[in-house]
Amino acid sequence: MTFRIGLIGSGYMGRAHAIAFRAASAVFDLPVDPELEVLADIDAETARSAAASLGFTRSTGDWRQLVADPLVDLVDITTPNIMHVEMASAAIDAGKHVYCEKPLAPTAAEARPLVEAAEAAGVLTMVGLNYLKNPITALAKEIIDSGEIGEVFAFRGAHFEDYMLDPSTLVSPWRFDPRSGDGVVADLGSHIVSIARYLLGPIVSVAADRRTVIGERTSSEGETMTVEVADEMDSLMRFASGATGTVAASWIATGRKMALGCEVRGTEGALVIDFERLNELQLYTTGQPVGREGFTRILAGPAHKDYASFVPAPGHQLGFNDLKAIEVRDLVEGIASPDGRPWPDFREAWEVQRVIDAIIASDGRGAWFDVDDVD
Amino acid sequence: MTFRIGLIGSGYMGRAHAIAFRAASAVFDLPVDPELEVLADIDAETARSAAASLGFTRSTGDWRQLVADPLVDLVDITTPNIMHVEMASAAIDAGKHVYCEKPLAPTAAEARPLVEAAEAAGVLTMVGLNYLKNPITALAKEIIDSGEIGEVFAFRGAHFEDYMLDPSTLVSPWRFDPRSGDGVVADLGSHIVSIARYLLGPIVSVAADRRTVIGERTSSEGETMTVEVADEMDSLMRFASGATGTVAASWIATGRKMALGCEVRGTEGALVIDFERLNELQLYTTGQPVGREGFTRILAGPAHKDYASFVPAPGHQLGFNDLKAIEVRDLVEGIASPDGRPWPDFREAWEVQRVIDAIIASDGRGAWFDVDDVD
Amino acid sequence: MTFRIGLIGSGYMGRAHAIAFRAASAVFDLPVDPELEVLADIDAETARSAAASLGFTRSTGDWRQLVADPLVDLVDITTPNIMHVEMASAAIDAGKHVYCEKPLAPTAAEARPLVEAAEAAGVLTMVGLNYLKNPITALAKEIIDSGEIGEVFAFRGAHFEDYMLDPSTLVSPWRFDPRSGDGVVADLGSHIVSIARYLLGPIVSVAADRRTVIGERTSSEGETMTVEVADEMDSLMRFASGATGTVAASWIATGRKMALGCEVRGTEGALVIDFERLNELQLYTTGQPVGREGFTRILAGPAHKDYASFVPAPGHQLGFNDLKAIEVRDLVEGIASPDGRPWPDFREAWEVQRVIDAIIASDGRGAWFDVDDVD
Amino acid sequence: MTFRIGLIGSGYMGRAHAIAFRAASAVFDLPVDPELEVLADIDAETARSAAASLGFTRSTGDWRQLVADPLVDLVDITTPNIMHVEMASAAIDAGKHVYCEKPLAPTAAEARPLVEAAEAAGVLTMVGLNYLKNPITALAKEIIDSGEIGEVFAFRGAHFEDYMLDPSTLVSPWRFDPRSGDGVVADLGSHIVSIARYLLGPIVSVAADRRTVIGERTSSEGETMTVEVADEMDSLMRFASGATGTVAASWIATGRKMALGCEVRGTEGALVIDFERLNELQLYTTGQPVGREGFTRILAGPAHKDYASFVPAPGHQLGFNDLKAIEVRDLVEGIASPDGRPWPDFREAWEVQRVIDAIIASDGRGAWFDVDDVD
């Protein structure tokens, strides 16, 4: 089989995908080598230059041409959020597998048709919720699923960064267009919600508070914009398992650069992850001898999933780009293996989006909102 | 003037008060030396023995006798929570100054008469919210009030311990009697609410979620008890200043021993405190040179309030008992100085309790609740 | 019996001793209550004022009078280092028990006669190496002695502070008088050497490097002084047990405030202590499941020696002054109990000093030096 | 120009080089794209299979053939240490540029002819001391060189891991053959010595202590081996700048997985790096306001050298393999640029080895040894 990629978008994330495809081939023993076939960007010249730099064979200034290209097996979407739905929809219609950066759609209602269309068309999909691919995230899940920390009853998660703290930073207007999604809730909230679901399972209801703290910002064109999307979000959550917890997100979390993480508490232990330290997990178990109890700082190592493919010695650390390589490995294996199925797929992205929508609905009402009541 | 103390209760907290009175005299230059005059406990023999061990001159098995004792200037209440109101009320009626362990009363409605009675009687009061006395707490307030971190817009606070995690630990029934207060909300919630108010000012509304995770426990008498009070509480908060935030408490927070702390975010900086490391504050300010930004770990030292009274060198650390000594110093100075007024007084304790009550009311309704709507 | 204290010196350390005697009575159930009988200082007026403030019954401007006072059971020496030998010697001659701040003497040769005199006179002695009294230090020893970390083969210890970093800080000339001891080697080196001996046993040889980094300083009188004592010291060590290691000290360790600590490595585990976090120990053991290995951060708690006397809940922390209270408790019990014997006594202080002297001798030679070759 | 690589060895490090060459092309804008031309391994079949998996065009079971291959521009040596000298020598003789894993040679005396031959032949060289390429290492150097921490007077460095702690781990005999180098001194000592030189400049003399703690080990063939090389090394050092310090290495450092790092102290500040947290640097400067002093934890970000080529947001972290990609970028640019010169080259490796040899010589003598006295 072939695995020819058509990449739309050559900004930061497009480049990250290109790096990841090359790295995955080198690091993993893939069932098929992905080929960088076509790159599309806003115009032919931008596309040509990016294709040369990133190693694509061909280029185009028209993404619809890429989608229609018979040599393309997979359409990879890394454009601004507001374009994801239209592009993914076209790719599915063309019978292509689709790899799309998160968020898939600004609302669950807009995501659902994509899920249904993809499943009907029999194409495979994946959404780039890359932190799910960290070996430390997998370790957290293994610890929870194995019962090592007993019955899990509490989750406290957050994704805090501060890249939007300065109101005078020039910003892309699309990031503040509510049609792209609700600011930090879409941008960072989706990461921590996906981790919450991955580790504890379905979320049934939420009570949330959103705030726009910085009411005016300066656009990249130097104009003052009134901001309507959220800068901060805090929420209370109830899981189908009976566990409860909190989920928060902020892109004005002063001083925080990559504080995505959570504390998970069970009847026999607890674990903490914080991706400002991507290669560490803290584990507490109640079975320690009296006077020897405490959180143990576990460094990622070859005993953990996927780590040994990168480096054979513990403590030597993976970086952000390595997570993306693991994601691409899962994508390639999911598509190329007989019974494969990449994950997180569009359906999972829709589930995450339903929680996001419930957060916004709860905030509007000032009361709890059931995820199942999301359209 | 004299400062003769009548202490009711000789359990852990009674003993801690006795130690604190002795330490305060040694560490600080007090306007008057407190005298350990009478100790009351459940019966005459317990009281006699404790008085001898803790250095009190006299003892009694009848706390009402202590309250009525003309030589007693201050009644110090360290009994189980459920008895605080009756004892404080009697002490005020007898014209004594009152020092009472938190919580003052199980509800704001029960606390308010004490506030009014004390103010009418002209007696001075203090409640033992000891973490407010940590030099690091004072440093946090100084940083906020000075504008060093700009305009504060977010507060994230919690008090997590795990001493109630094991359902088979024998517990005092009064700790689980709702008339004593709502479990962890009263026990630990009061600490973090008092810190939130101290640092950011009045709280106007809350949306909260309480849970009883462990439905049955074993009492000290070995009987199975059905638990009605909260093991965990999470809440969203809005402050009068316009800031928002979260406040949480749990006494089943697996692995946490003294995780009382908060993160405060402002437009020009942020600070973090965590009293598992009582002598540290982490400070971020936006004015650092490019590539040199980060949280600075500040160790308590003589530049900070009260520290130098204990030890002249930085990094040498205060302990929990030292906080209690500072509290007692504030009590003695507040009473003995011409215009003094100890703080936090009963009025502040009532304000804290109103927030606690609003948390419980919000949880009952599943919606936001205004603190001013607390009876 | 009586336990009447005669304290010489009312500076910082004298005051710390007074606080400790009062605290020890409150915190511990002592066999006899220490009485603050006489305080001596440089002149009668200073002594009188300090005695009033610290709670001593009487005062004197002549320390020899205090030593001769028949009511004094214990002479407590907290004066500048240079006076320790003369005072301790006089106290022993007067048949008093002696409690002396470290270092006991500037050289082992000067310390040895005190050891012999005290043992001949049958008086009991103690030296204030307070960090040996930290419950976390005791925990480290318990872990080592129990075999939990297997056979110990390596020790890496240091005591780093930076209070002498600024050359323009006005300093007491006696601190830089070589007759007081060799600067940081005496001042901080004694702490880490005493911990090394406590945890791993006798040291047999050392190879050391001393440096005077700041060659000129300003005295309290504003004069420029040429500095002859060490600002920094690094050394390699061999223990009688066969273990090896390093011991370092610096009082110009930029940014470090109380970095006294060590890492101890055994065949089945390792532990780390750092007294900038006085209430923590990090423990690694090799027996953890694959993928769960790591250092566990243990917080001091009631399971550890002496902690519960201060506070019954884990994580609530002791401070520096609490260590001094434990030291005083050991002193009182060591003297008042039938077969008691305070520790660390003058003999232990002499042993520590021999290592200090070997460090200086090794540095002079540029080669290894045997501790037994110290005079 | 062409940049065709001939790689010798396809073990862990060979694979890491292959990954790095591919990643460097994707991440950086290289002046020329490296081509994976020939791979040599112990036999033709191993080489063929590895070449296919790693993406090399051709393969050979005879490394001399690779060296002689006219299409090869660069010979890349990743074989066991004991073969480095012979292969590097042959490559130089064939007029090839050479990229060799550290250590270049077991002794400085064996390294020097390679340095001279390469310089005489005009071929360019590089040695894989990868931690020098960490953006955080570059940040440390920038901080030192800019004077931000004043005049540097002390360095404390170490490289601690514990992969040789278990005596029953099966080991490759060549790792314990003294002809390969002195155990941990060669294996890890070279990393920390190279960092010491990079940050503080030349080292003039050392006093060192080496130990073989585990005297017998089990070889991969299951035989008991007597161990002659060092498991641990501690040393005192003097730098040409006048600074002093310590350098240590251990491969039996219980619990440590990648503890390569150092503390550098200057008259106006200090910095700490520890590569178990590869993306962090702690910085202290004396100019902070009173009561706000402390170490600041700086997370790697786009403000630091090379980071932005991998990811544009701070706190998102690089991994070990990314360091190798930076190294390869330096190699390619150093060779392909008109006045380029890769670094660290063979001359630098020889300088590092002289310090290693001085460590061994000092240990043998039990005294200080001048680096210039190394043959």
Side-chain angles (χ1 to χ4, degrees), chain C residues 74-216:
Chain C
L74 172 92
V75 173
D76 180 1
I77 303 169
T78 67
T79 51
N81 299 351
I82 207 163
M83 305 165 76
H84 290 180
V85 170
E86 184 181 10
M87 288 171 172
S89 180
I92 293 166
D93 290 349
K96 311 293 188 185
H97 302 307
V98 192
Y99 175 29
C100 184
E101 266 308 302
K102 61 94 213 176
L104 176 57
T107 63
E110 289 163 279
R112 196 176 41 195
L114 296 175
V115 176
E116 289 162 358
E119 290 176 0
V123 300
L124 296 170
T125 59
M126 186 180 229
V127 173
L129 288 159
N130 27 263
Y131 297 105
L132 295 174
K133 303 303 180 179
N134 186 355
I136 285 295
T137 315
L139 174 60
K141 184 156 178 60
E142 179 187 322
I143 289 168
I144 292 168
D145 290 352
S146 67
E148 286 174 63
I149 58 171
E151 190 181 343
V152 168
F153 59 85
F155 176 90
R156 299 182 58 79
H159 193 163
F160 293 140
E161 304 198 16
D162 72 356
Y163 54 92
M164 290 294 179
L165 180 63
D166 182 349
S168 66
T169 301
L170 299 178
V171 292
S172 306
W174 69 260
R175 296 201 82 148
F176 289 90
D177 183 337
R179 289 170 300 169
S180 287
D182 182 37
V184 74
V185 185
D187 210 11
L188 302 185
S190 53
H191 282 301
I192 186 59
V193 167
S194 72
I195 288 179
R197 282 181 47 84
Y198 178 61
L199 296 181
L200 270 77
I203 292 160
V204 293
S205 60
V206 306
D209 190 30
R210 298 161 57 251
R211 283 92 61 186
T212 303
V213 174
I214 301 173
E216 290 193 342

Side-chain angles (χ1 to χ4, degrees), chain A residues 155-160 192 246-249 261-263, chain B residues 156:
Chain A
F155 176 89
R156 301 182 58 78
H159 192 162
F160 292 139
I192 185 60
T246 60
V247 166
C262 62
E263 179 156 351
Chain B
R156 300 181 59 78

